[in-house]
């Protein structure tokens, strides 16, 4: 990777944007900048990018509102930046469709690693071989593996690419608990920082969309000290 991938950074800190442009540019990326939320959204929707680096605190339109409007029209990978340590910001961003997040204290090495990861995951989703009528059914839950979509009670679930991949991974391992490290390796395609808790945030968001809670799991159960387990209903069928 670094074959001229186009990156958009949306941040009102012009110095940070310049530093990111210089660093990523030296690594072979084409980097553009936007300094307000409205300008950033216009650019993100007006041109194809391989990834968007998005700050939470922006003038004119904050990062959450921008992400909401962007996700209504685009699945471009989004790496969110936050200068605040509040875990709520990260959870909200992930639930709204961000693919990953970084605190603004990030190192350039971590930025590059996470950027490569979100781009690679997106490309892997696009490049998966197609198999006609391939799907998984578990009672009222159906996964269309051709379209990378999930349906619950015949209603399409609004899942992010990571949430779909997590659900698919857990469903295929049904009855077998998967650790966070295994999910990171399979879903996030990265093996650094195995203590990364973003998996828990994605699972929390996925559970919310499935109507699950940790106390009353319908599909995903927490296995203390291990990770997560998919528990299909007794009416399970598959194709």
């Amino acid at each position: 990777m670094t074959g001229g991938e186009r990156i958009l950074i949306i941040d009102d800190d012009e110095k940070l944007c310049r530093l990111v442009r210089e660093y990523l540019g030296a690594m072979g990326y084409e980097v553009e900048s936007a300094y307000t939320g409205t300008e950033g959204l216009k650019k993100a929707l007006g041109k194809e990018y391989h990834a968007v680096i998005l700050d939470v605190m922006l003038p004119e339109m904050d990062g959450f509102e921008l992400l909401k409007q962007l996700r209504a029209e685009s699945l471009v990978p989004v790496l969110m930046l936050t200068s605040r340590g509040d875990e709520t910001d990260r959870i909200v961003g992930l639930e709204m469709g961000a693919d990953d997040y970084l605190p603004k204290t990030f190192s350039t090495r971590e930025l590059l690693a996470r950027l490569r990861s979100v781009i690679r995951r997106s490309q892997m989703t696009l490049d998966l071989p197609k198999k006609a009528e391939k799907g998984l059914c578990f009672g009222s839950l159906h996964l269309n593996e051709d379209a990378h979509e999930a349906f619950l009670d015949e209603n399409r679930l609004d899942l992010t690419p990571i949430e779909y991949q997590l659900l698919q991974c857990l469903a295929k391992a049904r009855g077998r608990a998967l650790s966070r490290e295994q999910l990171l390796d399979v879903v996030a395609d990265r093996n650094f920082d195995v203590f990364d808790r973003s998996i828990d945030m994605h699972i929390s968001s996925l559970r919310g969309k499935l109507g699950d809670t940790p106390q009353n799991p319908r599909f995903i159960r927490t296995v203390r000290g291990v990770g997560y387990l998919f528990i299909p209903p007794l009416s399970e069928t598959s194709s």
Side-chain angles (χ1 to χ4, degrees), residues 67-130:
L67 179 61
K68 178 182 177 182
Q69 295 191 34
L70 179 62
R71 277 291 172 259
E73 300 186 41
S74 172
L75 290 177
V76 61
V78 174
L79 178 61
M80 292 202 78
L81 300 178
T82 175
S83 59
R84 296 182 291 189
D86 188 354
E87 187 178 76
T88 302
D89 284 347
R90 301 194 294 271
I91 294 174
V92 170
L94 293 170
E95 288 181 340
M96 294 182 69
D99 295 88
D100 208 343
Y101 66 87
L102 269 178
K104 278 202 167 180
T105 54
F106 65 83
S107 67
T108 52
R109 180 180 179 185
E110 185 175 16
L111 171 65
L112 181 62
R114 289 184 182 264
L115 187 62
R116 284 174 169 169
S117 179
V118 297
I119 294 175
R120 187 183 299 115
R121 291 200 303 266
S122 176
Q123 195 59 51
M124 286 174 63
T125 299
L126 292 174
D127 291 345
L128 285 174
K130 303 292 184 180

Side-chain angles (χ1 to χ4, degrees), residues 55 77 86 130 143 162 211:
D55 187 24
D86 188 354
K130 303 292 184 180
L143 277 67
I162 293 179

Side-chain angles (χ1 to χ4, degrees), residues 4-5 8 12 14 50 56 73-74 77 80 83 89 122 124 126 128 132 143 151 153 162 168 198 214 234-235:
E5 287 88 353
L8 174 63
D12 61 339
E14 297 188 23
H50 291 85
V56 172
E73 300 186 41
S74 172
M80 292 202 78
S83 59
D89 284 347
S122 176
M124 286 174 63
L126 292 174
L128 285 174
L143 277 67
F151 297 83
D153 297 321
I162 293 179
Q168 181 186 50
S198 67
L234 294 177
S235 57

